[in-house]
Amino acid sequence: MTLTAQFLSLLVMIASGIVGAACIDLVRTIKYYAPPRSFRRKGYIALELITWLILGIASFYLLFKVRAGEWRIVDPIAQLAGFYCYQLYFQSVFRFGGRLIYIILLRPLCLIFNFFVSIIRWIIRALMRVVRLLLLPFRPLVKKTKQLRLKKKG
């Protein structure tokens, strides 16, 4: 293996460490901002385990693509260095980018979704009022029938 290929594989492992740390940070942020009794908080351990499993599989896939599956002791050290670099230099950048994506993309989508849900609720409530209005003349009849049925026979 040439020196250039070794350097490239080292950079790939450091980058995978940075991306892995960003994914774990995202999962932990989701847990932190979840309401105490929500499904996100209850399923947090499973979510983090699945994330670690996917990251491990992705890491070995990268090794397979970059070096035909050769594993060296330098690889986990490079990934740990990527985790460390994420904590030192990239965490604020990634979190700022996440907040920006949330403000620009997700918040307007949530507002649009809530708007459509409120319109649908309003339509359902209006239909229920119409049905109640149509059934209003039959109320005394139903009430009288209930009274007759509930009377005790003497």
Side-chain angles (χ1 to χ4, degrees):
M1 180 178 264
T2 64
L3 189 61
T4 307
Q6 287 180 1
F7 184 69
L8 176 69
S9 66
L10 181 71
L11 286 179
V12 167
M13 285 295 112
I14 290 173
S16 73
I18 291 171
V19 170
C23 290
I24 294 300
D25 190 34
L26 175 69
V27 168
R28 290 180 180 167
T29 303
I30 289 171
K31 183 239 179 197
Y32 179 75
Y33 286 110
R37 294 179 189 238
S38 72
F39 178 73
R40 286 185 293 177
R41 187 163 289 201
K42 289 178 183 174
Y44 165 70
I45 294 173
L47 179 65
E48 187 163 353
L49 287 175
I50 290 170
T51 304
W52 278 108
L53 181 68
I54 290 171
L55 288 173
I57 291 170
S59 171
F60 280 109
Y61 179 74
L62 280 174
L63 276 176
F64 181 72
K65 283 294 187 184
V66 172
R67 280 191 295 193
E70 281 184 35
W71 184 82
R72 298 197 177 159
I73 195 66
V74 176
D75 297 331
I77 295 170
Q79 283 188 322
L80 287 174
F83 270 65
Y84 187 69
C85 284
Y86 174 79
Q87 291 292 326
L88 282 180
Y89 305 113
F90 297 115
Q91 187 175 26
S92 59
V93 174
F94 274 78
R95 286 190 176 180
F96 175 74
R99 282 191 299 271
L100 199 63
I101 288 171
Y102 175 73
I103 290 170
I104 292 174
L105 294 177
L106 295 179
R107 192 179 283 174
L109 288 176
C110 289
L111 288 173
I112 291 170
F113 178 75
N114 288 335
F115 176 71
F116 283 122
V117 167
S118 65
I119 288 175
I120 291 170
R121 281 183 182 168
W122 183 82
I123 291 171
I124 290 173
R125 286 179 185 154
L127 288 174
M128 292 301 291
R129 286 181 184 153
V130 168
V131 168
R132 281 188 196 143
L133 185 66
L134 290 175
L135 292 177
L136 191 63
F138 298 106
R139 252 189 189 173
L141 181 65
V142 171
K143 200 176 209 181
K144 196 67 165 172
T145 309
K146 277 185 181 178
Q147 285 176 357
L148 288 174
R149 197 175 42 157
L150 293 176
K151 272 188 178 177
K152 291 186 179 180
K153 291 184 181 177

